[in-house]
Structure formats: C-alpha cells, structure tokens
Amino acid sequence: MMSSKPSTAKEESFSEFYTEVKEIEKRDSVLTPKQQIDRLLRPGSTYFNLNPFEVLQVEPDSSLDEIKKKYRRLSILVHPDKNMDDSERAQQAFEIINRAWKTLEEEESRKSCLDIYQEAKERTDHMIEEKRKKQRKEGRQAEGIPEENPEKYKHAVYVMTMKLFADMERKRQHLETRNMEERKRKREAEIEQEEQLSMEKEWAKNFEESRQSRVDSWKTFQSGGSKEKKKKKIMGFKPPKPKPESR
C-alpha cells in the first residue's frame, strides 16, 4: 500500500487560510470580499476612512480583542491573494484596513480617536439641547426632536464624528504644509549663506594669490618712474646753445 504524500507547510497554511475564509463568508455573508472592497474604495472613501472605527466596522467602546478579531476577518476578506481578479483594488483596501488597525492598536492614537468620538457625542447633545430650547421658546415642545430617536441620535453622532476626523486631518495637512514651507525657507537661507561664504572665500583666495603680482607691478612701476625722473633732471642742466654774434 502506497503512503500518501506528506503535505508541505505552505499547503497546510493555504488550507487553513481557505477554511477560515469560508467560515467568515458563511458566518457573515453580507460582508463578501467584493462588498468590502467596494465599501472601502467608494466615492468619498478618503473622508470616511479617516475614522478607523468606521473602517473596521466596530463600535468605539469595543475591546481591543474585539477590534483585533474584526480586523483579522476583514483583512482576510480583502486580501489580494483572495481577490486575484481584482488584486490592485484589494491591495488598496487591505492597506486601509491595516492602517486603521495600527491606529487603534497603539494606545495613544486609540485614545485620541476615542476623544474625538466623545467630543462628537457632546456636540450632538449640545445641538439637541439647543433645539429643545428653541422649541420651548416658540411653544413647539410637542413636536419633539428627531435626534431623540436612538437610531437618529446614533447617526447624528456618526456624522459629527466624521466631521471632527475631517477637521483634524485638515489641521494636520495645514500644519504639515506650513512646516514644509518653513523648512524650505530655512534651507534656502542656508544655501544663500553658504554661497555668500563661498564667494568670500574665493575672493580672499584670489586676492592672496595675486598679492605678489601686485607687489611686483608696483616695484616695476616705481623703478621705471625713478629712471624717468633722473633722466629729466640730467636733461634739465644741459647748457643752451651759443647764439652767433650779430655784426
């Protein structure tokens, strides 16, 4: 009886990967690879994907273990190896998911995201209270506030959260642009100073190298001038020619 060919580690890894993918698709059929890729790359995705909770489809109060599980599920669904017929878009979606996970995995950056979510709730609550005040003032208390409905309240918080993430990104880009321009101005000033120093050094070098030539020229000039003076002096004592006697 022939023994079966032993499976390689690569084959076992692929088998596990394939099994896990099938389990995920079966457990949550609405989150198919194509649907997730389309969701992460939809129009306006740059704006939506600033929120890592939105990218990973988790609630802000989810535990880190829960977030990690969701990240793993999504990363498998959109993995380029799983989507060979759309590998380029799958790679983009995969990178978006990885970026969101790294943001929430790190304690400090996750805290910053939670602070944004908390601020969104506080602003939404303030907005609701202002609407109530306006209704009381106008005698329309019976009309109620749409955001008092739990689903509409959740949506209002969601919209405000997105707005705050977008505001934060704009501030980050503005600061980055300003810092880049400042670094550019500083570098231009350094280059200008370096060029000025280089010119001064070159001038000093040329001045020093031409010193002897100038000295020699001056000596030559002095020597020639003295001979001319002596010659003029000698010629000055030449007696006049005698005039013939007139008869």
Side-chain angles (χ1 to χ4, degrees), residues 98-115:
N98 275 337
R99 194 158 51 243
W101 163 243
K102 288 178 181 178
T103 300
L104 296 180
E105 181 186 27
E106 207 278 319
E107 184 176 356
E108 186 174 347
S109 56
R110 185 172 73 254
K111 183 180 182 302
S112 296
C113 293
L114 288 171
D115 288 344

Side-chain angles (χ1 to χ4, degrees), residues 47 123 158-168 170:
Y47 173 79
R123 289 196 183 192
Y158 166 81
V159 172
M160 182 59 71
T161 302
M162 289 297 183
K163 180 181 182 303
L164 293 178
F165 270 108
D167 289 344
M168 183 178 70
R170 279 192 291 271

Side-chain angles (χ1 to χ4, degrees), residues 47 51 59 116-129 131 145-165:
Y47 173 79
N51 184 349
E59 294 297 326
I116 289 176
Y117 175 71
Q118 183 60 35
E119 183 178 349
K121 287 184 65 177
E122 291 173 359
R123 289 196 183 192
T124 302
D125 292 342
H126 178 73
M127 177 267 293
I128 292 172
E129 184 57 34
K131 284 186 176 182
I145 306 294
E147 289 79 10
E148 290 175 337
N149 178 288
E151 286 300 315
K152 291 186 177 181
Y153 175 79
K154 185 177 180 180
H155 179 71
V157 173
Y158 166 81
V159 172
M160 182 59 71
T161 302
M162 289 297 183
K163 180 181 182 303
L164 293 178
F165 270 108

Side-chain angles (χ1 to χ4, degrees), residues 56-81:
L56 298 180
Q57 295 183 307
V58 294
E59 294 297 326
D61 57 357
S62 300
S63 68
L64 189 59
D65 284 341
E66 291 173 328
I67 296 172
K68 187 175 182 179
K69 288 177 183 178
K70 192 60 180 288
Y71 154 71
R72 181 164 174 75
R73 290 172 59 191
L74 292 176
S75 64
I76 289 175
L77 283 173
V78 304
H79 197 284
D81 292 346

Side-chain angles (χ1 to χ4, degrees), residues 39-224:
R39 178 181 72 88
L40 293 167
L41 301 179
R42 68 194 185 278
S45 59
T46 301
Y47 173 79
F48 290 110
N49 293 340
L50 292 172
N51 184 349
F53 301 116
E54 167 68 12
V55 171
L56 298 180
Q57 295 183 307
V58 294
E59 294 297 326
D61 57 357
S62 300
S63 68
L64 189 59
D65 284 341
E66 291 173 328
I67 296 172
K68 187 175 182 179
K69 288 177 183 178
K70 192 60 180 288
Y71 154 71
R72 181 164 174 75
R73 290 172 59 191
L74 292 176
S75 64
I76 289 175
L77 283 173
V78 304
H79 197 284
D81 292 346
K82 166 68 178 172
N83 300 274
M84 299 294 289
D85 59 336
D86 195 12
S87 59
E88 185 175 342
R89 295 176 74 246
Q91 181 64 37
Q92 294 177 39
F94 184 73
E95 290 172 359
I96 291 169
I97 288 172
N98 275 337
R99 194 158 51 243
W101 163 243
K102 288 178 181 178
T103 300
L104 296 180
E105 181 186 27
E106 207 278 319
E107 184 176 356
E108 186 174 347
S109 56
R110 185 172 73 254
K111 183 180 182 302
S112 296
C113 293
L114 288 171
D115 288 344
I116 289 176
Y117 175 71
Q118 183 60 35
E119 183 178 349
K121 287 184 65 177
E122 291 173 359
R123 289 196 183 192
T124 302
D125 292 342
H126 178 73
M127 177 267 293
I128 292 172
E129 184 57 34
E130 288 298 309
K131 284 186 176 182
R132 285 174 179 156
K133 287 181 180 178
K134 184 177 180 181
Q135 283 189 349
R136 286 195 296 269
K137 185 177 180 180
E138 297 175 353
R140 298 185 293 108
Q141 297 94 320
E143 294 181 11
I145 306 294
E147 289 79 10
E148 290 175 337
N149 178 288
E151 286 300 315
K152 291 186 177 181
Y153 175 79
K154 185 177 180 180
H155 179 71
V157 173
Y158 166 81
V159 172
M160 182 59 71
T161 302
M162 289 297 183
K163 180 181 182 303
L164 293 178
F165 270 108
D167 289 344
M168 183 178 70
E169 177 62 13
R170 279 192 291 271
K171 289 178 182 177
R172 186 195 67 77
Q173 291 180 359
H174 175 72
L175 182 61
E176 183 177 333
T177 300
R178 189 176 66 181
N179 290 340
M180 185 172 63
E181 290 174 350
E182 181 62 30
R183 289 194 298 269
K184 182 180 178 182
R185 284 194 296 269
K186 185 177 179 181
R187 182 54 187 154
E188 288 174 349
E190 289 174 350
I191 291 173
E192 184 178 353
Q193 186 177 15
E194 289 170 1
E195 290 176 348
Q196 182 65 28
L197 289 173
S198 178
M199 290 174 61
E200 291 175 358
K201 287 181 180 178
E202 185 68 21
W203 185 90
K205 180 183 176 183
N206 293 336
F207 182 84
E208 186 62 31
E209 289 177 348
S210 63
R211 180 191 297 275
Q212 189 59 45
S213 176
R214 293 195 307 276
V215 171
D216 292 342
S217 297
W218 177 251
K219 287 182 177 179
T220 300
F221 171 77
Q222 290 279 48
S223 176

